[in-house]
Amino acid sequence: MNQNLKWKAIFILIVVLICFYGLFGLPSFPTSWSQLVDNFSSRMQLGLDLRGGSHLVLQVQVQEAIGTHCDQTHDELIDQLHKQNITVGEVDRLSNTQILVKNVTPSQTGAFQSLVQDQFPDFGVGPAPGEQSGFLLTMKPTVVSDIEQRTMDQSLDTIRRRITGLGLKEPNVAPTGRGQDEILVELPGEGDPTRAKQVIQAGGQLKFQLVLDDNAYPSEAAALAAHSGVLPQDSQLLPGTSATGDQSGGQVWWLLSRAPIITGADLRDANPGPNPQQPGFYEVHFSVSTAAAKRFGPFTGSNIGHRMAVVLDNQVQSAPVINGRIDDQGEIEGNFTQDSAKDLSLILNAGALPASIKYIEERTIGPSLGADSIREGVQASIASLIAVWIFLMVYYRLSGINAVVALLLNLIILIAFMAISGATLTLPGIAGVVLTIGMGVDSNVLVFERIREELRNGKANPSAVDIGFDKAFLTIIDTHITTLVSAAFLFLFGTGPVKGFAITLTIGLLANLFTSVYVSRVIFDWHLSRMGREAELSI
């Protein structure tokens, strides 16, 4: 064997050893057959359709985020009109994108329009139909589109962080492609997604608000009656539990200052811990950012003896009395179990959802269905492989063994690369494996037929092999590139199992280029080096 051929053989051997190590040698080198099997099982990541699990499709209520922006603009507009002494009638929010301002004083029309254009550039302003001296503010379409996109991006990030925090393995969170407001969540191996659904759906809107009336009201009507039917300006009536968070007394109502002191966005960290005041229950310890502490400290210092409400998703969790200045750390009390306190910490750390979500599809795939799919897929792959091997060895005689070795190495590289890279094998992915076998056969047939053609033209064995590989190379490259382009589009626009097919096909094609062109050529060269010059090539 010449030196060049020896180095090529060593390189192929190293590739094979790396593949076997990636398949069976991690996470720890096996010392028994059972450990070898366990290593292989742990390295192969199975998709939802093979492993079983939960499949959820969520719809993000993006219109809520648009409505929230309109609400904030509505409140801010009233405040600015008051500060600039612009006299108007009623200011009504007509829809998620429109605000109607009635009876603008004619002499202040110019000042009103200048205020809107300067302070509220997200809205266009024009005369209100049917309203004398009235103006209609309409949110610009580009702003609506921007809010929709931002809401979807933030929802995706938040849900992904929450699912990851639950410790679920290999979750898939991605836009479904069926609409602009839908998100696909796949949880392989999770047969009961109840807890995950609760964590995903929790709004996570945390606020700390000053309690205006120290005593809670038993009903909303009682609170209104105590204020002669009209709540104080800039106040808010919210339901919740008692001051200590005890829910045994039923729901009560708290009158709060509308403006929050700090919000969940100011949190730096949140962790669960036992509640020393209520043995058996848990609370959530939190710390806030430095900027928030500069607001929180002076506020709590100047309101000692008053109550401060901890509001989560518009529900008062507790309303403790402020006993001293609090700067950057505090607790959220309630009847939390260890799991619920842990989930709340996870939700707060992951951040709030910008809009609520609705489940529009939920499916649970049993592991037995996945096991059947794996068994039948493996049977199909083995059957096709054996049929191809028999054909190659009958039709191309000894050279068929060359193709068999190349195909076998192709499969080993494909599976090993998926195991090492952590790529997920899905049911369509198994179809990709079978398709790869077909592409491998096709490449070998192209090369072998070219070699046969050159031998029939009277070329010597080495020359026929050289010319055969050279002529077939460009054709093999062309067919593989076109298929790779198709696989790229499937990966970009597909979801879940379709992406799995694209990944398997891509890896298989690249491995096939290596085995059918490089490995097969090395085997031919090695065989020719051992043949006599006059011997006939078995092909």
Side-chain angles (χ1 to χ4, degrees), residues 11 19 22 66 77 93 125 128 155 167-168 186 220 222 225 238 270 307 313-314 320 355 372 396 403 420 464 466:
F11 174 68
C19 289
I66 298 170
L77 176 62
R93 177 184 179 279
V125 60
S155 298
L168 301 179
E186 290 182 333
E220 192 172 7
L238 289 180
R307 292 187 184 279
D313 295 335
N314 290 323
D372 291 343
Y396 292 111
I420 294 171
D466 279 343

Side-chain angles (χ1 to χ4, degrees), residues 31 47 67 71 118 154 194-195 198 223 263 277 286 303 328 332 373 415 530-531:
T31 55
D71 285 338
D118 294 342
Q154 189 176 342
T194 305
R195 185 184 172 209
Q198 290 173 346
T263 67
Q277 307 299 325
F286 68 88
N303 284 282
D328 60 353
I332 302 174
S373 301
I415 296 173
R530 298 173 63 86
M531 288 176 56

Side-chain angles (χ1 to χ4, degrees), residues 164 288 339 427:
T164 304
V288 299
D339 284 342
L427 185 58

Side-chain angles (χ1 to χ4, degrees), residues 303-325:
N303 284 282
I304 294 174
H306 293 92
R307 292 187 184 279
M308 180 178 64
V310 181
V311 182
L312 181 66
D313 295 335
N314 290 323
Q315 290 276 335
V316 176
Q317 295 291 316
S318 62
V321 175
I322 301 173
N323 293 318
R325 179 184 172 109

